[in-house]
Amino acid sequence: MKKGYIYIILCAFIFSTMELAGKLVAGSLSPIQVTFMRFLIGAVMLLPLAATDLRRKSIKLELGDYVYFFVLGSLCIPISMVLHQLSVVHTQASTAAIVFSINPLFTLPFAFFILGEKIEKKMVTALSVSLAGVVCIFNPFAVSYDIRGILLALASALTFALYTVLSKSRLSKYGGFIFNFFTFAAGEIVLFAVLFANGTPVFSSITPESLPVIIYMGIVITGLGYIFFLEAIKLTSPVTASSVFFIKPALAPLLSMAFLGERISLNVAIGMLLIVSGSVMSYRARAR
């Protein structure tokens, strides 16, 4: 159990650096290039783990499985993750991190309509508190220069929540390593097709400054981050492991302040506190 908590702490720290790293390469590489390269590295890291699980579990994938992976992969990588990288381009890394971190709460309405899961009053309260935090960050009483980035982060959180709910039906069948590898691989195929159709060279514009960041995003954030998260789920529980997402909105802004010199305005600070509070309420409600 203690080892599981170590994985949660490591995962929370790694995921909290995602927007920071994305901001560092936002000026030299397109969001599609960044997303493609980091998930390519992540898929390569997961390949031996997925292959081992396929042999151990004697799983034979059929056409329906591959269709499922392509649907989920397209939703996660070319849509949600590209939107997230776009949000980092158009707003502060800290703001993008905070807004994206409410994605577990958006699973509530999707789970209700798609899976028929019951929604408890405590979860509705938690969602309302977090949404109040998002409204606070939007600052509706003043026109925000980065409203485009906030909307993109919100769209990324919504689509990632939908991806999470749709993945629930078969995640237990495949296991985490198999599911994530084939989802990553399918999403990468779709994203490569987009790059090819647009005539964008996949590895162009990489500079000596951006290369270490891309490698870090691929190996640490996408590879080790997902592996640690899956290990945390295995050693604790899905509910306990989800605490990663209420640590992130508290930690990511501090990292952005330290390494990017970003300032946290009063409305963003209040919004951050509300989102963390809502996430904690959600975690407690799920744990019972």
Side-chain angles (χ1 to χ4, degrees):
M1 198 71 170
K2 290 181 180 179
K3 191 175 181 181
Y5 287 116
I6 292 173
Y7 279 126
I8 289 173
I9 294 170
L10 288 172
C11 186
F13 180 81
I14 288 171
F15 282 172
S16 295
T17 65
M18 182 165 63
E19 293 79 13
L20 169 61
K23 196 71 171 179
L24 292 174
V25 296
S28 59
L29 296 166
S30 74
I32 297 179
Q33 284 179 298
V34 173
T35 304
F36 179 84
M37 285 185 278
R38 80 179 185 91
F39 277 96
L40 177 63
I41 297 171
V44 170
M45 289 187 64
L46 287 171
L47 175 57
L49 298 170
T52 300
D53 270 7
L54 281 171
R55 289 193 299 269
R56 183 173 59 85
K57 297 179 179 180
S58 300
I59 294 177
K60 293 183 179 180
L61 300 177
E62 300 177 352
L63 178 61
D65 297 305
Y66 289 111
V67 171
Y68 175 78
F69 286 131
F70 267 96
V71 172
L72 269 289
S74 299
L75 183 61
C76 177
I77 298 174
I79 298 177
S80 181
M81 291 296 100
V82 170
L83 285 171
H84 187 58
Q85 182 61 27
L86 276 168
S87 72
V88 174
V89 174
H90 294 287
T91 187
Q92 292 191 138
S94 55
T95 303
I98 294 167
V99 176
F100 182 77
S101 293
I102 67 171
N103 74 81
L105 292 172
F106 284 139
T107 63
L108 292 175
F110 286 130
F112 175 77
F113 288 108
I114 297 173
L115 303 178
E117 291 187 0
K118 183 180 178 181
I119 299 179
E120 298 181 0
K121 290 182 179 179
K122 291 181 180 179
M123 298 299 291
V124 174
T125 302
L127 178 60
S128 300
V129 171
S130 290
L131 288 178
V134 173
V135 172
C136 198
I137 291 172
F138 267 107
N139 195 10
F141 299 105
V143 178
S144 175
Y145 77 94
D146 57 355
I147 191 168
R148 181 188 298 180
I150 297 172
L151 287 171
L152 287 166
L154 195 60
S156 176
L158 278 166
T159 49
F160 191 79
L162 178 59
Y163 160 78
T164 301
V165 170
L166 292 176
S167 68
K168 186 174 182 179
S169 62
R170 299 197 190 184
L171 183 57
S172 58
K173 170 187 174 181
Y174 306 118
F177 294 132
I178 296 172
F179 176 84
N180 278 300
F181 167 73
F182 281 99
T183 301
F184 287 4
E188 286 292 274
I189 292 172
V190 175
L191 205 53
F192 179 79
V194 173
L195 286 167
F196 182 79
N198 290 336
T200 305
V202 176
F203 301 106
S204 69
S205 304
I206 297 179
T207 64
E209 292 78 21
S210 62
L211 182 58
V213 181
I214 291 296
I215 293 174
Y216 171 81
M217 293 179 77
I219 294 177
V220 180
I221 298 175
T222 311
L224 292 178
Y226 277 87
I227 290 172
F228 289 164
F229 187 59
L230 292 171
E231 287 299 308
I233 291 174
K234 186 190 300 183
L235 294 172
T236 58
S237 71
V239 173
T240 303
S242 69
S243 61
V244 165
F245 289 103
F246 76 77
I247 297 173
K248 177 174 176 173
L251 184 57
L254 299 178
L255 293 173
S256 297
M257 289 175 65
F259 291 98
L260 298 177
E262 291 185 353
R263 287 188 171 186
I264 306 298
S265 61
L266 180 60
N267 65 294
V268 173
I270 295 173
M272 180 177 71
L273 290 174
L274 288 171
I275 288 172
V276 171
S277 299
S279 298
V280 172
M281 291 168 64
S282 172
Y283 168 74
R284 290 178 175 175
R286 289 174 187 268
R288 290 173 182 174

